[in-house]
Amino acid sequence: GMKMDAPAKKAVIIPDYSNASPAVKTSVGVLYKDYLDVKDALVQSSLANAQVAGKLLSSDAGKVNLASLNPAQHKYVLDLLDVIKEDGEHIGKTPELDHQRHHFALLTDEMYPLVKAFKPNVGKVYYDYCPMARAHNGAYWLSKESVIKNPFYGKKMIECGMTKETL
């Protein structure tokens, strides 16, 4: 269904699940790679590539191996995966770049706590922020490179943004 715009960020305590099983951490790493494919497509303003990556992300979100998780981890992951799946579906089927970017901002709000909690072995993760995105409400994205490449504006404002945190 349609989600309302997320209210202003409330500080969420993100647990440390970095001791989760290697299978789970690998699954989270796969989702992060899919997410980066979406991000890179949006940096290039490529609707078609973002659609492909969004569909893959949504599909992979349904394949995460939850068997080894304890009940608290299980609930934490399922809540995030449900929304990741939904945002991936929207990105995969919308014919509009702006709509993809809207859902990418929402997607980041779910991927950040997933990656931060499980700490998959993916190297440095940069948590970047653009104050102008979402009609000047600001939006975040994750990146594997320190150089800012803005997925919300592409070439128009490729360098708009700053790194807020390094995971």
Side-chain angles (χ1 to χ4, degrees):
M2 284 300 293
K3 285 201 301 291
M4 300 300 291
D5 276 344
K9 280 238 192 325
K10 45 187 186 306
V12 178
I13 306 296
I14 295 174
D16 181 356
Y17 293 152
S18 57
N19 61 352
S21 77
V24 173
K25 291 177 70 121
T26 298
S27 291
V28 171
V30 167
L31 293 183
Y32 176 61
K33 190 201 162 300
D34 294 345
Y35 168 93
L36 290 177
D37 288 344
V38 175
K39 188 261 302 176
D40 291 342
L42 293 177
V43 167
Q44 300 294 326
S45 297
S46 170
L47 176 84
N49 289 356
Q51 284 175 332
V52 170
K55 286 184 179 123
L56 184 61
L57 174 69
S58 189
S59 160
D60 284 342
K63 296 177 188 164
V64 177
N65 184 338
L66 305 172
S68 61
L69 296 177
N70 68 37
Q73 292 171 336
H74 195 267
K75 179 173 178 5
Y76 184 84
V77 170
L78 269 188
D79 289 348
L80 294 173
L81 289 180
D82 280 349
V83 187
I84 289 170
K85 232 181 280 190
E86 190 178 314
D87 286 320
E89 280 169 18
H90 277 274
I91 291 166
K93 65 180 187 227
T94 180
E96 292 170 24
L97 207 49
D98 282 349
H99 193 64
Q100 285 181 326
R101 285 175 164 142
H102 171 77
H103 278 281
F104 177 73
L106 298 176
L107 176 62
T108 299
D109 293 343
E110 313 302 321
M111 285 298 298
Y112 168 75
L114 190 66
V115 170
K116 183 163 175 153
F118 285 92
K119 300 178 178 53
N121 304 315
V122 291
K124 271 192 185 157
V125 177
Y126 298 92
Y127 187 49
D128 296 334
Y129 178 71
C130 169
M132 294 177 67
R134 284 205 269 212
H136 294 276
N137 289 312
Y140 294 84
W141 75 96
L142 300 173
S143 176
K144 69 179 196 300
E145 53 215 339
S146 58
V147 176
I148 294 289
K149 291 184 184 168
N150 189 311
F152 298 105
Y153 292 102
K155 289 189 183 57
K156 278 193 296 207
M157 291 196 287
I158 196 75
E159 291 174 359
C160 180
M162 66 211 78
T163 297
K164 289 289 198 179
E165 188 182 349
T166 305
L167 309 184

